[in-house]
Amino acid sequence: MALHKVDYAKENGLPIVLTTVDKLIQWGRSNSLWAVSYGLACCAIEMMATGAGRFDFDRFGTIFRASAKHAEVMIVAGTLTKKHAEFTRRIYDSMPEPKWVISMGSCANTGGMFNTYSTVQGVDRIIPVDIYLPGCAPRPETLQYALMILQKKIRKEIPRRKQKAKRLV
Ligand code: SF4
C-alpha cells in the first residue's frame, strides 16, 4: 500500500471545515423547503408548471404538499378575495414555525388590476410576506429565482426567527 505523506501546513490547509450548528441547521432548512400548494387564480398555472418535469422544482428540495402542517413555504399564486382571506390566514396559522411566504404575481402583491370591493389589495394585509414576485403572470423561472433568493435569506437568518408584525384587512 502506498503511503502518502501530506504536509497540511504547506498544502491547502487542514482537511477540516469549521461552522456553527446554526449555519448547519439553516443550510439544511434552505435545501428542503416544502411548499403548500396554494393556487388562487391564473398565476397558479405557472406555479404548477414550475413543479412539472421541464422546470423540476424537486431538484431544489422543494416539494408541493397538500397539507399546510407539512409545509414551511406558502406560495400565494393569484388573486386573493376578501371572502377567501380568512381561509388563507387559517392555512398560514396551521403551518409550523419557521415558515415563509412568497407572494406570486401582481394580484397577490397588490391586488393587481382588481382594485375592487372584493379583492384584497395585497396578501401582506393578511399574512407576512418574505418575497414579492412581480409579473402577470411570473414565469416558472421567476418562481425558481424567488426560491433561490429565499434560500439565501434563510441561510442568513437566525434559527429562532421572530414573527413580523401582521396587518389585518
Ligand atoms: S397577476 Fe395576472 S396571471 Fe396572476 S392571477 Fe393576477 S391576473 Fe392572473
Side-chain angles (χ1 to χ4, degrees):
M1 194 175 81
L3 189 65
H4 298 287
K5 264 194 154 186
V6 182
D7 186 347
Y8 291 117
K10 279 186 188 163
E11 307 282 330
N12 291 324
L14 291 168
I16 54 171
V17 176
L18 295 175
T19 186
T20 62
V21 175
D22 282 0
K23 279 187 181 165
L24 199 64
I25 290 170
Q26 292 309 77
W27 175 80
R29 249 180 208 156
S30 68
N31 285 301
S32 63
L33 291 170
W34 290 9
V36 59
S37 44
Y38 198 59
L40 296 170
C42 14
C43 271
I45 305 298
E46 299 296 322
M47 184 179 71
M48 283 186 257
T50 318
R54 184 167 171 200
F55 296 97
D56 194 14
F57 231 21
D58 293 13
R59 68 197 153 110
F60 294 96
T62 302
I63 301 162
F64 285 109
R65 299 290 302 187
S67 163
K69 291 190 172 72
H70 297 166
E72 56 246 299
V73 184
M74 186 186 221
I75 303 168
V76 184
T79 324
L80 179 65
T81 57
K82 285 183 182 164
K83 203 173 178 183
H84 198 84
E86 190 197 329
F87 303 112
T88 307
R89 180 70 216 203
R90 212 183 290 171
I91 291 169
Y92 178 80
D93 284 341
S94 41
M95 288 164 66
E97 290 281 354
K99 53 194 167 191
W100 298 272
V101 176
I102 296 175
S103 168
M104 183 179 180
S106 304
C107 285
N109 295 343
T110 63
M113 66 184 116
F114 306 109
N115 189 6
T116 61
Y117 70 94
S118 59
T119 308
V120 177
Q121 301 298 296
V123 288
D124 56 2
R125 297 183 180 219
I126 310 292
I127 51 176
V129 173
D130 295 276
I131 309 272
Y132 294 89
L133 207 50
C136 174
R139 280 191 49 79
E141 294 93 334
T142 326
L143 183 55
Q144 281 182 337
Y145 184 57
L147 188 88
M148 285 192 274
I149 292 174
L150 184 64
Q151 285 179 322
K152 264 191 191 172
K153 185 176 149 75
I154 291 168
R155 282 176 204 137
K156 284 182 192 161
E157 275 179 0
I158 49 164
R160 283 165 301 283
R161 163 183 187 263
K162 274 191 182 166
Q163 285 262 325
K164 285 185 230 162
K166 288 159 194 162
R167 284 197 284 161
L168 298 172
V169 183

XYZ file of all heavy atoms in Angstrom, residues 3 14 18 20 31 34 40 42 45 58 67 85 103 125-126 136 148 162:
142
model
N 2.109 4.863 0.710
C 1.952 5.735 1.882
C 2.147 7.182 1.444
O 3.200 7.542 0.911
C 2.978 5.330 2.941
C 2.816 5.981 4.301
C 1.521 5.542 4.958
C 4.002 5.618 5.210
N -5.629 22.482 6.564
C -6.122 21.279 7.233
C -7.423 20.797 6.576
O -8.231 21.616 6.156
C -6.372 21.589 8.710
C -5.120 21.837 9.554
C -5.510 22.413 10.895
C -4.324 20.567 9.756
N -14.947 24.314 9.418
C -15.493 24.864 10.660
C -16.797 25.596 10.364
O -16.882 26.351 9.410
C -14.496 25.836 11.295
C -13.188 25.234 11.783
C -12.253 26.316 12.263
C -13.424 24.227 12.898
N -20.947 26.635 12.372
C -21.729 26.629 13.610
C -22.962 25.757 13.399
O -23.367 25.517 12.265
C -22.193 28.051 13.985
O -23.036 28.528 12.942
C -21.030 29.003 14.163
N -32.501 23.914 2.018
C -32.482 22.946 0.919
C -33.613 21.931 0.973
O -33.596 20.949 0.224
C -31.136 22.224 0.887
C -30.054 23.112 0.341
O -30.121 23.586 -0.780
N -29.062 23.394 1.167
N -40.522 22.698 1.735
C -41.753 22.111 1.198
C -42.810 23.202 1.124
O -42.987 23.962 2.073
C -42.217 20.961 2.085
C -41.312 19.765 1.992
C -40.099 19.722 1.364
C -41.523 18.478 2.532
N -39.540 18.489 1.474
C -40.393 17.694 2.196
C -42.540 17.894 3.271
C -40.278 16.367 2.567
C -42.427 16.572 3.646
C -41.312 15.815 3.292
N -54.544 30.356 -6.456
C -55.845 31.012 -6.363
C -56.404 31.442 -7.708
O -57.607 31.603 -7.852
C -55.729 32.243 -5.452
C -55.372 31.955 -3.989
C -55.056 33.243 -3.276
C -56.501 31.225 -3.298
N -54.950 32.520 -12.162
C -54.123 32.119 -13.314
C -52.641 31.948 -12.984
O -51.954 31.133 -13.595
C -54.308 33.097 -14.468
S -55.108 34.631 -14.081
N -51.224 28.422 -12.593
C -50.824 27.583 -13.731
C -49.301 27.624 -13.890
O -48.655 26.600 -14.122
C -51.519 28.063 -15.030
C -53.034 28.114 -14.859
C -51.129 27.201 -16.224
C -53.717 26.808 -14.573
N -38.315 19.969 -7.752
C -37.821 18.985 -6.783
C -36.312 19.042 -6.596
O -35.799 18.709 -5.538
C -38.204 17.561 -7.224
C -39.699 17.335 -7.173
O -40.427 18.336 -7.048
O -40.122 16.178 -7.268
N -50.861 19.500 2.388
C -51.173 19.759 3.796
C -50.306 20.895 4.326
O -49.070 20.855 4.214
C -50.927 18.489 4.604
O -50.836 18.810 5.965
N -60.012 35.407 2.337
C -58.894 35.853 3.175
C -58.802 35.100 4.508
O -57.706 34.753 4.965
C -59.019 37.351 3.424
N -45.171 35.806 -2.337
C -46.356 36.356 -2.997
C -46.070 36.355 -4.497
O -45.152 37.021 -4.963
C -46.600 37.773 -2.466
O -47.545 38.421 -3.256
N -51.558 42.075 3.694
C -52.564 42.609 4.640
C -53.121 41.512 5.521
O -53.798 41.764 6.502
C -53.703 43.267 3.866
C -53.159 44.455 3.089
C -54.227 45.200 2.371
N -53.613 46.309 1.663
C -54.158 47.510 1.569
N -55.313 47.756 2.121
N -53.549 48.460 0.917
N -52.847 40.257 5.135
C -53.369 39.110 5.883
C -52.243 38.378 6.612
O -52.376 37.981 7.758
C -54.042 38.087 4.921
C -55.037 38.782 4.005
C -54.662 36.921 5.664
C -56.249 39.307 4.703
N -47.340 39.385 -14.427
C -48.717 38.945 -14.646
C -48.724 38.063 -15.896
O -48.890 38.562 -16.987
C -49.638 40.139 -14.818
S -51.333 39.708 -15.251
N -34.622 30.657 -4.908
C -33.182 30.748 -4.631
C -32.882 31.942 -3.724
O -32.030 31.866 -2.841
C -32.408 30.829 -5.937
C -32.347 29.500 -6.647
S -31.191 29.461 -7.989
C -32.177 30.082 -9.315
N -37.990 35.753 14.613
C -39.123 36.430 15.227
C -40.180 36.696 14.169
O -39.862 37.010 13.040
C -38.665 37.753 15.825
C -38.137 37.615 17.224
C -37.971 38.976 17.835
C -37.386 38.831 19.218
N -36.896 40.076 19.733
